[in-house]
């Protein structure tokens, strides 16, 4: 029953989002629309989150009729400092989502009202430990944009529809795991527009099933971890999978990531809040990971999951400092300037704890190309850092049909062998894309954990054999694909042909008799 109820709530939520999309159709394209919906949802979330937190405290203190939303701004101001310390931010009662929504249709300056509120929320964290987590969070919600309408009146009309649509979403109450509703809406929007967004600088939206597989591979045998890291975290969906699978409290020190794109960086921080990750449990940085890594001084990570951009350009050997960078120097060579893939792998290895596991989606070319990439593979294999290579099916990602791979890195392996898994046939075809099912994921993870040879599916390969193959790490080199062509028994076939010829002769004789009788 719980599953049915959850699916009904999810369908209701998705319909509500489509409804808002219909209201705004023609004025805001998909990718921008996503930012507006998520931004206003976030505004509703933190308004209700703060209100519920304050109300709960007052009710427990013996004031059952207290409602923060009905308090005057003057009376609320006195609690500001304590609330910023506890929650990381502060919102005046008059600026709460519910109160702004009530006044929205009569507010001729709604755009200015919202702009001011977003600024006040960000400013409330200034000077506190949560300042970095709230700075610029609403930058992508431009309430004065022509994309919303050509005039202030038209823009405000759209903003009223946004507030109403999001206000009408049935998000339940927080004690009933409301955060899942916000998180689900976020994931639905990402999936809804990922196809439209296509490819941007080698980046692809990571489908939930691939996120699930990556995370489950990285946490095999673990019930809790110190922290999780993604060096190209995008909107944070990979980081949050660990929270979903292990439980938020089982990621003791929190969620860490770095993202170069400012819009996606803002979405990632919003996503943390929408999934109820408090400001002191995440550290997301906005910088170029390869050239300006932001977590140098942190304790190494027990789990690293990543889907870094495929084959993007970087400075490489043009930057004389990089060959001495402690992340890249051990391999003795830098990833090619035109293909930074191996640089992300070396970076992840450097950030990995001794007992850690990194699972990384890779472009297949890095497994077999020569030159610098071959030398880096040699370094990784010679030092026994590669635990497993998994060939994934084609067409799993929006915007590309590439059949990607997963590389699993470990610093403390129990043997000097590498497991190769051919999961290229582990999928279900869904419309234009292939999808990993729960059964597919379970089969791959189970094989990864057992490390047993399975004909046409998996093989544990010795260091010497990989060395003999010039450090080629393509799964097809080591796992023989099953020959699905029909096998023909030649002797049996010849006998059948002889029988057909004999029958044919009998028929001819019969026909000749009939013709002879007719002619007589």
């Amino acid at each position: 029953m719980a599953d049915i109820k959850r699916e009904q709530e999810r369908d209701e939520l998705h319909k509500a989002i489509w409804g808002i999309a219909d209201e705004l159709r023609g004025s805001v394209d998909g990718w921008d629309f996503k930012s507006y919906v998520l931004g206003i949802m976030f505004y509703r979330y933190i308004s209700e989150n703060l209100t519920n937190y304050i109300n709960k405290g007052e009710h427990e203190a013996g004031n059952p009729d207290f409602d923060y939303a009905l308090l005057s701004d003057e009376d609320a101001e006195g609690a500001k400092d304590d609330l910023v310390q506890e929650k990381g931010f502060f919102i005046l009662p008059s600026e709460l989502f519910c109160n702004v929504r009530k006044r929205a249709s009569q507010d001729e300056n709604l755009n200015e009202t919202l702009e001011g509120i977003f600024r006040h929320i960000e400013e409330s964290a200034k000077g506190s430990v949560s300042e970095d987590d709230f700075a610029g969070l609403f930058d992508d919600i431009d309430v004065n944009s022509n994309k919303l309408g050509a005039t202030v009146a038209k823009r405000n009309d759209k903003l009223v529809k946004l507030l109403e649509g999001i206000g009408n979403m049935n998000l339940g109450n927080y004690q009933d795991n409301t955060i899942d509703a916000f998180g689900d809406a976020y994931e639905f929007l990402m999936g809804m527009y990922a196809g439209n967004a296509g490819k941007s600088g080698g980046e692809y939206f990571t489908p939930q099933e691939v996120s699930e597989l990556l995370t489950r591979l990285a946490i095999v045998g673990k019930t809790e971890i110190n922290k999780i890291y993604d060096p190209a975290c995008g909107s944070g969906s990979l980081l949050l999978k660990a929270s979903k699978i292990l439980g938020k409290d089982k990621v003791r020190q929190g969620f860490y990531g770095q993202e170069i794109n400012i819009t996606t960086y803002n979405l990632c921080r919003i996503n943390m809040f929408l999934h109820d990750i408090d400001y002191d449990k995440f550290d997301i940085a906005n910088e170029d990971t390869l050239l300006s890594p932001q977590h140098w001084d942190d304790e190494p990570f027990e789990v690293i999951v990543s889907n870094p951009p495929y084959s993007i350009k970087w400075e490489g050997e043009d930057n004389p400092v990089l060959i001495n960078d402690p992340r890249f120097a051990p391999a003795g060579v830098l990833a090619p300037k035109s293909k930074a893939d191996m640089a992300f792998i070396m970076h992840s290895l450097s950030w990995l704890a001794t007992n850690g596991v990194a699972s990384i989606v890779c472009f297949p070319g890095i497994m077999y190309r020569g030159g610098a990439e071959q030398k880096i593979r040699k370094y990784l294999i010679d030092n026994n850092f590669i635990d497993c290579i998994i060939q994934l099916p084609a067409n799993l990602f929006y915007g590309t049909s590439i059949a990607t791979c997963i590389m699993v890195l470990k610093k403390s392996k129990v043997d000097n062998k590498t497991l190769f898994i051919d999961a290229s046939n582990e999928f279900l075809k869904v419309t234009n894309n292939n999808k990993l099912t729960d059964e597919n994921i379970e089969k791959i993870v189970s094989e990864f954990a057992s490390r047993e040879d399975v004909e046409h599916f998996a093989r544990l390969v010795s260091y010497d054999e990989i060395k003999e193959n010039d450090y080629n790490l393509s799964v097809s080199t080591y796992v023989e694909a099953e020959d699905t062509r029909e096998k023909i028994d030649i002797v049996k076939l010849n006998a059948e042909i002889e029988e057909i010829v004999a029958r044919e002769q009998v028929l001819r004789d019969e026909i000749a008799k009939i013709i002879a009788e007719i002619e007589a």
Side-chain angles (χ1 to χ4, degrees), residues 49 197 208 271 346 397:
N49 182 280
Q208 286 302 307
N271 205 9
M346 290 297 292
F397 293 82

Side-chain angles (χ1 to χ4, degrees), residues 259-294:
E259 173 54 42
I260 194 168
N261 180 296
I262 185 75
T263 297
T264 324
Y265 159 70
N266 284 336
L267 286 178
C268 183
R269 291 185 296 158
I270 285 175
N271 205 9
M272 292 293 141
F273 286 114
L274 291 184
H275 283 80
D276 207 25
I277 309 294
D278 291 333
Y279 74 89
D280 57 348
K281 286 293 290 281
F282 70 83
D283 181 351
I284 311 297
N286 176 220
E287 276 287 357
D288 185 322
T289 301
L290 299 180
L291 303 181
S292 182
Q294 295 299 295

Side-chain angles (χ1 to χ4, degrees), residues 326-340:
R327 295 170 298 160
F328 311 126
V333 66
L334 295 170
K337 288 188 295 180
S338 60
K339 304 173 184 74

Side-chain angles (χ1 to χ4, degrees), residues 322-429:
L322 287 174
I323 194 58
N324 297 316
D325 187 305
R327 295 170 298 160
F328 311 126
V333 66
L334 295 170
K337 288 188 295 180
S338 60
K339 304 173 184 74
D341 309 63
M342 280 296 191
F344 280 103
I345 286 168
M346 290 297 292
H347 168 86
S348 292
L349 180 67
S350 181
W351 257 232
L352 193 61
T354 307
N355 65 334
V357 181
S359 54
I360 305 163
V361 178
C362 301
F363 186 82
I366 69 166
M367 301 298 174
Y368 57 80
R369 287 190 296 240
E373 289 177 317
Q374 183 184 36
K375 288 176 184 171
I376 296 171
R377 290 198 304 274
K378 180 180 187 304
Y379 164 76
L380 294 170
I381 289 292
D382 284 352
N383 288 278
N384 202 26
F385 291 134
I386 298 182
D387 186 63
C388 182
I389 304 288
I390 302 167
Q391 176 64 59
L392 292 176
N395 221 25
L396 283 181
F397 293 82
Y398 298 98
T400 178
S401 60
I402 296 168
T404 55
C405 307
I406 293 174
M407 181 184 286
V408 182
L409 300 172
K410 285 184 182 177
K411 283 187 172 174
S412 303
K413 285 170 62 180
V414 294
D415 57 32
N416 194 17
K417 296 179 179 179
T418 300
L419 179 67
F420 289 86
I421 300 175
D422 182 0
S424 55
N425 293 317
E426 296 298 316
F427 67 88
L428 176 71
K429 184 151 187 64

Side-chain angles (χ1 to χ4, degrees), residues 421-455:
I421 300 175
D422 182 0
S424 55
N425 293 317
E426 296 298 316
F427 67 88
L428 176 71
K429 184 151 187 64
V430 181
T431 59
N432 295 328
N433 278 80
N434 294 329
K435 182 178 178 179
L436 295 171
T437 65
D438 290 346
E439 291 76 18
N440 298 143
I441 293 169
E442 185 55 47
K443 182 177 176 182
I444 297 166
V445 174
S446 178
E447 170 55 36
F448 172 75
S450 71
R451 293 175 79 76
E452 292 176 358
D453 286 0
V454 178
E455 195 175 11

Side-chain angles (χ1 to χ4, degrees), residues 453-489:
D453 286 0
V454 178
E455 195 175 11
H456 307 305
F457 181 61
R459 189 163 159 249
L460 199 56
V461 179
S462 70
Y463 165 75
D464 289 334
E465 186 177 344
I466 295 172
K467 187 178 176 182
E468 283 165 17
N469 280 296
D470 294 327
Y471 299 94
N472 184 323
L473 297 180
S474 296
V475 173
S476 58
T477 304
Y478 305 99
V479 181
E480 186 184 357
E482 187 173 4
D483 187 352
T484 54
R485 292 174 301 179
E486 186 181 353
K487 290 181 174 58
I488 297 167
D489 184 332

